[in-house]
Amino acid sequence: MFNVLFVDDDSFMLRALLRLAKRLRPEWQFWTEEDGLNWAKSIPHNVNIDLIVCDYLMPDINGDSVLIEASKHFPLAIRALLTGDTTEEVVCKAGKAAHFVLSKPFNEQDIVQLLTCIERIHKLPFTHEVRAMLGASALLLPLPDIVQRVRKVLQDEQSEPTDIVDLIAHEPLITAKLLQLANSAFLGFSRATLSIEEAIIRLGVDLISAIISSIAIEQSATSIIDKSAQLRINEYAYQLALNAQKIANTLSLQKSKQEELFIAALMSVIGELIVSSRIWQDLFAAQFADWPTRKLIVAISAYLLTLWGYSEFLCDIILSSVEPEVSYTDHNLALLLCLANYATKYRGSIPEEILNKLPDEQIRQKLAHL
């Protein structure tokens, strides 16, 4: 059972949210509050909130400020912002305060996804302290400074979406954020996509520039990882994604599956940015000393991706890639991601002892000649 707080000065909206949430999760506990300045007054002192959903535009205080204040009292809580304003300013503000941004008026599908994500992240094997740290990291992670290069491409009238793809393909966190927004109901997109090029076309020049600039500003204010480690991790992610795509091409996977595998590979390395950070090394490394490194990285990656609203399908590919099922290869993207990791580790080739575990001789032969 989970505890949820809804904050909105519109009593009609509050009642609608409460009715829908109770129908979807009747066993959960819900509280409502119309006063944004005193958002916590309706919550009993002994209750820890798991989810806070807040309207953006309210009298006296905006929802992003409420969520930032709430995070100090309930650091484990997942934060969601409700808004009908999709201007660049609101998009950037929302990304600093909320794990989820929902369009207003909301629909049932958005609320179902939000509640399901709460359940999913609580299944992952982390302590309360680690969850608080990962929740904060989902909103603020260091990124290389590529803003000037991206702006230069965006300002060129002759540029194509593929030009930006070439730049951000080396930056898994930028890719993650752009894909998150390109799949957001908040911006009116009903069909999911894992194509970076399509995400760029959907979002447009101004929004992409604003998002990347916002990330860079946050980066200049907070540094949790050494530059050299950051560059190494980002380059590994890119090489992993290229090897995954090469494997997918070799096995003649359809284009949509190739894109899914490429994105899963790129996103699966995000957790290493956390594991390599000074905060993690100082506070949490000892707790996970007996964990295999890859298992820890993909678990953290899946946690962050869940908080960014990525599908359970994508997170399952990443999680399962540590110990994938090897009895079949057809559309087994977790296995192919695992093989891509070996190919990246061993400079493009998959060790023979790994290939010998695959049941299909024809596939073994194909992958032996990558």
Side-chain angles (χ1 to χ4, degrees):
M1 181 178 68
F2 298 100
N3 299 315
V4 180
L5 172 66
F6 296 121
V7 182
D8 197 323
D9 64 295
D10 184 338
S11 59
F12 175 80
M13 183 66 69
L14 272 182
R15 290 195 298 271
L17 273 170
L18 187 60
R19 282 196 303 270
L20 176 58
K22 283 186 171 181
R23 176 168 62 81
L24 294 172
R25 297 293 188 275
E27 70 280 12
W28 292 21
Q29 292 193 80
F30 300 95
W31 285 268
T32 61
E33 181 54 61
E34 295 183 31
D35 185 356
L37 286 175
N38 297 288
W39 57 269
K41 68 181 182 182
S42 62
I43 305 171
H45 290 298
N46 61 340
V47 169
N48 287 315
I49 296 298
D50 299 294
L51 169 65
I52 302 172
V53 181
C54 187
D55 183 33
Y56 174 69
L57 192 59
M58 298 185 293
D60 303 317
I61 189 170
N62 282 344
D64 59 318
S65 298
V66 171
L67 293 181
I68 290 172
E69 179 64 24
S71 69
K72 301 173 184 176
H73 298 270
F74 302 106
L76 298 180
I78 305 306
R79 303 184 290 281
L81 200 65
L82 274 171
T83 180
D85 188 345
T86 60
T87 60
E88 294 172 13
E89 179 184 3
V90 174
V91 170
C92 293
K93 279 187 175 181
K96 299 172 186 177
H99 300 107
F100 295 90
V101 182
L102 306 180
S103 59
K104 201 174 181 183
F106 62 87
N107 61 51
E108 182 170 330
Q109 181 181 355
D110 296 335
I111 303 301
V112 168
Q113 180 192 21
L114 178 59
L115 301 182
T116 301
C117 284
I118 303 302
E119 294 168 330
R120 283 169 51 199
I121 63 169
H122 278 269
K123 292 179 182 178
L124 293 171
F126 295 117
T127 64
H128 291 323
E129 292 79 11
V130 174
R131 290 176 188 276
M133 187 267 191
L134 294 179
S137 298
L139 299 175
L140 182 60
L141 284 170
L143 290 166
D145 185 9
I146 66 165
V147 175
Q148 295 304 320
R149 284 182 287 153
V150 170
R151 283 180 174 172
K152 184 176 180 180
V153 172
L154 292 174
Q155 290 168 359
D156 184 357
E157 294 182 358
Q158 304 301 317
S159 66
E160 300 289 341
T162 52
D163 297 328
I164 304 175
V165 172
D166 291 338
L167 284 176
I168 69 171
H170 290 269
E171 310 296 344
L173 295 175
I174 288 179
T175 301
K177 281 297 183 183
L178 293 181
L179 283 170
Q180 178 191 20
L181 285 170
N183 284 284
S184 173
F186 160 59
L187 293 178
F189 301 119
S190 57
R191 183 178 61 82
T193 182
L194 287 177
S195 166
I196 303 174
E197 185 172 343
E198 184 175 353
I200 291 168
I201 294 171
R202 285 185 178 189
L203 294 175
V205 170
D206 291 339
L207 187 53
I208 288 172
S209 180
I211 294 165
I212 296 177
S213 296
S214 175
I215 291 171
I217 291 169
E218 291 295 273
Q219 178 195 1
S220 66
T222 301
S223 178
I224 66 171
I225 185 173
D226 293 333
K227 183 75 172 181
S228 59
Q230 181 181 327
L231 291 173
R232 173 183 58 79
I233 293 166
N234 283 349
E235 185 57 30
Y236 182 87
Y238 184 64
Q239 292 302 321
L240 174 62
L242 290 180
N243 282 322
Q245 188 175 52
K246 190 175 182 180
I247 289 172
N249 280 327
T250 299
L251 299 181
S252 302
L253 265 64
Q254 62 191 63
K255 191 173 187 298
S256 62
K257 292 299 179 183
Q258 291 186 29
E259 290 179 346
E260 288 171 1
L261 185 58
F262 184 91
I263 294 299
L266 201 60
M267 300 297 100
S268 69
V269 183
I270 289 175
E272 190 170 356
L273 290 166
I274 301 299
V275 172
S276 301
S277 70
R278 290 181 288 276
I279 296 173
W280 181 274
Q281 291 299 316
D282 291 343
L283 299 178
F284 304 113
Q287 296 180 29
F288 294 89
D290 59 341
W291 276 49
T293 302
R294 184 64 187 165
K295 179 181 178 182
L296 179 60
I297 288 171
V298 300
I300 293 175
S301 297
Y303 195 99
L304 295 177
L305 290 168
T306 301
L307 289 183
W308 286 337
Y310 280 80
S311 69
E312 188 170 9
F313 171 74
L314 181 67
C315 292
D316 282 346
I317 292 173
I318 293 172
L319 282 171
S320 300
S321 68
V322 177
E323 296 178 345
E325 174 61 56
V326 297
S327 61
Y328 70 100
T329 53
D330 188 31
H331 293 156
N332 187 347
L333 299 189
L335 174 59
L336 300 186
L337 178 54
C338 178
L339 296 176
N341 268 290
Y342 280 108
T344 307
K345 183 177 179 181
Y346 292 97
R347 302 191 178 189
S349 62
I350 303 171
E352 185 177 355
E353 63 268 25
I354 301 300
L355 289 176
N356 287 338
K357 295 179 181 179
L358 303 179
D360 191 313
E361 172 64 25
Q362 186 177 12
I363 288 177
R364 289 201 300 269
Q365 292 179 358
K366 287 182 178 180
L367 295 181
H369 302 286
L370 281 178

